[in-house]
Amino acid sequence: TMHKAFLAVVLGVAFVGSSFAQNLELPKLPYEYNALEPAIDEATMKVHHLGHHMAYLNTLNAALTTLRQNETTKHLAKMGIDKLLQHLSEVPAELKGPVRNGGGGFVNHVLFWNSMRPGGAILAESSTLGARIIQDFGSFQEFKDHFSAQALRLFGAGWAWLITHPADGFRLEVVTTPNQDTPAMEEGKVPLLGLDVWEHAYYLKYMNKRVDYVAAWWSVVDWEAVDARYRVAKGEPVAGAKAEL
Amino acid sequence: ALRGRHHQEHPRTQMAHALPSLTYDYAALEPFVDATTMNIHHTKHHQAYINNLNTALDKHSELKSLSLEELNIKVTTLPEDVRTAIRNNGGGHWNHTMFWKWMAPVGSVNHAPIGSLKAAIDKDFGSFDVLKEKFNAAAAARFGSGWAWLGVKEDGSLGITSTPNQDNPMMDGVADVKMTPILGLDVWEHAYYLKYQNRRADYLASWWNIVNFDTVVELYDAQAKK
């Protein structure tokens, strides 16, 4: 199951979205609710997954159900959520919000859970991503400082991301998005790592101290998963991964 | 004569913005809003908006002669290098200064509309219950961080709207619906998460128990005079 979850995130949510005729399901976490302690507390993991992530999924499913029922919109329900988020302009006005917010919330959190693991995993300088981070940011520390600064600057609810631009030589970039928007709403931007800075992601343990949450989060980042995501984006072979669509 | 002029300050020159005190204890709104939330919300979040506002104003001291309300109303005309900081933090400071006055311990004030405000609510919404439903709907529908508002529109009628982040309906050119707010509710997660977590609807339902309608009536009557 860990491997399937890994594939799901590496290939986008094709795994969970493969059956377009019925509702999507909430993927289980790849670890126990208390497994990311002390960086992220158990109570937060439970509410975040079963409360917030579930609610985004419910919103998305309701929107997909409506889209599916109409001849003129059912193609939108079949294209898969990643693609649908790039085609928001085609979604009827009254469903744009639910698709953007519920759909974005759904995919963002799948990526988020699958970018962390108990105790984290380090990024080897010799790895594909490790080498590119040094090339694009000067050093891993400079990248971390930049990412953290962006995560702290974001006003209100949103996310900080490490993304790659396949069409620009797989250049890396740190960006932020508001609410549940994802950089993947724009073709040509592939999210590799995301950090949720909505207050619900940290408030029970850290309250207003987002800085402490961000600092602690680095210790649970699964850099092996993030590096694998980058290598898949580049078309490099990833051990054990099979194309599953 | 020279000495007189020396001591004569520009009437609008202000000290830096400072955190206003609450008129009740942090625990006084229990069980509807918990003491820890009130403490952190006031001493950390509101204080941070004030600190950041003061920092932005230090870059443009000519703006220090504007009132907090004017800074909010005119936010889109402010210098570009501080516009966002003042929108976020001047908005945050105004919104929270009012928020503390829009709440009061149970039984210490009217918690329902009276007088001409009650008449206006009955006229524009049908009843206080309908007002609450519509206000709660706006508060529930605000995705991400923001506020829900009851306000007086330019034609004098009452309206309900919500705004993102620390925007408010006074901000010219920013708010969808321009209104003078007479009641606002913070729906940033920091306003309710410790007690309610993701159950925003429970927070909304609880909050009406402590709304200070004396403040709301005062604001409404002041607007009605204009």
Side-chain angles (χ1 to χ4, degrees):
Chain A
T1 340
M2 272 215 62
H3 210 66
K4 276 189 171 169
F6 168 86
L7 284 173
V9 79
V10 153
L11 298 167
V13 290
F15 171 65
V16 291
S18 59
S19 177
F20 305 129
Q22 63 199 40
N23 282 347
L24 301 175
E25 286 179 7
L26 187 70
K28 282 190 170 19
L29 294 188
Y31 34 74
E32 299 293 316
Y33 286 109
N34 65 0
L36 302 181
E37 290 266 10
I40 303 183
D41 57 298
E42 181 175 9
T44 292
M45 289 299 292
K46 284 182 172 168
V47 182
H48 205 171
H49 184 235
L50 299 170
H52 295 279
H53 195 182
M54 180 72 85
Y56 296 131
L57 176 59
N58 292 341
T59 299
L60 171 63
N61 276 332
L64 289 176
T65 299
T66 307
L67 289 173
R68 215 176 276 132
Q69 284 164 353
N70 199 310
E71 278 306 307
T72 57
T73 58
K74 65 185 196 191
H75 69 288
L76 295 170
K78 287 185 183 167
M79 64 171 57
I81 182 59
D82 295 311
K83 232 182 160 49
L84 181 54
L85 288 171
Q86 293 175 353
H87 289 258
L88 279 178
S89 57
E90 295 172 41
V91 175
E94 70 279 7
L95 292 176
K96 271 200 228 285
V99 170
R100 179 178 186 160
N101 296 338
F106 177 63
V107 303
N108 291 345
H109 287 80
V110 171
L111 187 137
F112 186 50
W113 310 133
N114 286 285
S115 300
M116 296 185 289
R117 84 185 206 196
I122 60 160
L123 181 65
E125 280 193 14
S126 57
S127 64
T128 308
L129 181 60
R132 192 61 195 256
I133 280 180
I134 293 167
Q135 182 185 326
D136 287 359
F137 296 98
S139 67
F140 186 66
Q141 189 61 48
E142 281 164 278
F143 154 72
K144 263 186 77 171
D145 291 345
H146 177 52
F147 188 104
S148 296
Q150 291 297 97
L152 294 174
R153 279 187 68 224
L154 192 150
F155 192 75
W159 291 72
W161 306 91
L162 173 64
I163 68 170
T164 185
H165 298 266
D168 191 12
F170 295 95
R171 174 175 69 87
L172 298 177
E173 189 186 5
V174 172
V175 299
T176 59
T177 54
N179 292 346
Q180 292 299 343
D181 286 359
T182 161
M185 283 160 74
E186 275 179 74
E187 254 189 272
K189 293 185 177 180
V190 178
L192 303 175
L193 173 66
L195 171 59
D196 191 346
V197 291
W198 281 61
E199 287 171 328
H200 66 236
Y202 61 91
Y203 213 79
L204 294 181
K205 181 182 169 84
Y206 296 99
M207 291 174 284
N208 60 303
K209 298 189 297 293
R210 192 191 288 183
V211 60
D212 292 350
Y213 160 65
V214 175
W217 168 76
W218 288 110
S219 69
V220 294
V221 172
D222 183 353
W223 282 107
E224 283 179 17
V226 184
D227 174 57
R229 210 169 280 143
Y230 186 52
R231 285 184 287 135
V232 166
K234 295 186 82 182
E236 289 177 19
V238 173
K242 282 189 302 190
E244 188 182 279
L245 288 168
Chain B
L2 272 175
R3 191 177 293 162
R5 238 178 288 159
H6 229 5
H7 287 281
Q8 188 182 76
E9 304 224 64
H10 186 291
R12 307 291 291 285
T13 301
Q14 290 178 356
M15 308 259 289
H17 291 278
L19 188 68
S21 301
L22 302 191
T23 57
Y24 43 81
D25 290 340
Y26 291 128
L29 304 182
E30 292 265 10
F32 309 107
V33 182
D34 60 292
T36 306
T37 293
M38 287 302 294
N39 187 327
I40 306 287
H41 205 172
H42 184 239
T43 63
K44 306 292 184 207
H45 292 281
H46 190 178
Q47 183 70 67
Y49 296 130
I50 291 167
N51 296 344
N52 294 338
L53 173 62
N54 286 332
T55 300
L57 292 174
D58 280 344
K59 297 183 189 168
H60 284 272
S61 52
E62 75 279 9
L63 297 177
K64 292 184 183 180
S65 62
L66 294 179
S67 70
L68 182 58
E69 194 177 302
E70 284 171 315
L71 285 173
N72 276 257
I73 293 169
K74 297 179 182 172
V75 71
T76 57
T77 69
L78 299 177
E80 218 189 306
D81 61 326
V82 291
R83 190 178 304 157
T84 298
I86 294 180
R87 175 176 177 169
N88 291 343
N89 297 287
H93 180 27
W94 190 89
N95 296 345
H96 287 80
T97 298
M98 294 308 299
F99 191 49
W100 313 131
K101 298 190 216 180
W102 279 322
M103 297 185 293
V106 176
S108 67
V109 296
N110 285 296
H111 295 297
I114 56 170
S116 50
L117 173 63
K118 180 180 187 313
I121 286 173
D122 290 345
K123 174 168 167 285
D124 290 338
F125 296 100
S127 70
F128 179 39
D129 280 345
V130 173
L131 163 68
K132 283 194 280 189
E133 262 174 48
K134 295 196 167 193
F135 187 99
N136 289 345
R142 172 48 57 183
F143 191 71
S145 305
W147 289 72
W149 305 100
L150 172 67
V152 180
K153 296 190 283 192
E154 285 168 322
D155 66 0
S157 67
L158 293 172
I160 288 173
T161 192
S162 76
T163 51
N165 292 348
Q166 293 298 344
D167 290 353
N168 60 53
M170 296 192 301
M171 294 177 173
D172 264 343
V174 163
D176 285 345
V177 179
K178 184 144 164 73
M179 306 191 299
T180 301
I182 61 172
L183 178 61
L185 172 60
D186 191 346
V187 292
W188 281 62
E189 287 171 328
H190 65 237
Y192 61 91
Y193 211 78
L194 295 181
K195 182 180 172 78
Y196 296 99
Q197 291 90 59
N198 59 317
R199 300 182 306 279
R200 191 188 285 186
D202 288 353
Y203 164 61
L204 303 182
S206 285
W207 177 73
W208 288 103
N209 286 291
I210 43 151
V211 173
N212 183 346
F213 266 95
D214 292 352
T215 302
V216 186
V217 163
E218 217 178 279
L219 291 166
Y220 177 74
D221 290 345
Q223 270 308 113
K225 286 196 173 81
K226 293 186 181 171

